Amino acid sequence: MYNPFFSSMMLALECQKVIELRLVRLAWGGREARAEMHSMVVEKIQASIEATGALIMGSSPEVVIARYREYVAANTKRLFAD
């Protein structure tokens, strides 16, 4: 059974780690910080367009949240690797 509270809470908790890693990168400054700022804006716009399109086409909120969690996981992996 789908529990929207649980998946939303997990998304929020997972986002906190990405926020922490991005703030550290921004605090260091330089070329990497500028690239991260650009990446943050572009990713958020792309994800919101994708989510809006999915909802308009009839996808469930569960699908949208799962997709956002995939983005967050990819960012976490990328930021830890760098």
Side-chain angles (χ1 to χ4, degrees):
M1 184 169 113
Y2 171 64
N3 184 347
F5 177 77
F6 177 75
S7 58
S8 298
M9 184 58 72
M10 288 303 297
L11 176 61
L13 292 173
E14 293 162 351
C15 284
Q16 289 301 311
K17 190 60 174 174
V18 172
I19 292 168
E20 173 191 352
L21 293 169
R22 282 184 160 166
L23 285 175
V24 169
R25 175 149 308 170
L26 293 175
W28 280 101
R31 183 176 299 154
E32 292 84 12
R34 285 191 299 278
E36 192 62 36
M37 285 187 288
H38 181 266
S39 172
M40 287 174 14
V41 173
V42 170
E43 287 173 2
K44 287 183 183 7
I45 292 170
Q46 288 174 342
S48 67
I49 290 170
E50 182 181 339
T52 302
L55 290 172
I56 288 173
M57 297 303 289
S59 290
S60 68
E62 176 182 351
V63 171
V64 174
I65 291 171
R67 185 66 177 135
Y68 267 101
R69 289 183 71 191
E70 290 174 12
Y71 280 124
V72 171
N75 277 325
T76 303
K77 184 177 180 178
R78 177 182 60 80
L79 290 165
F80 266 128
D82 290 344

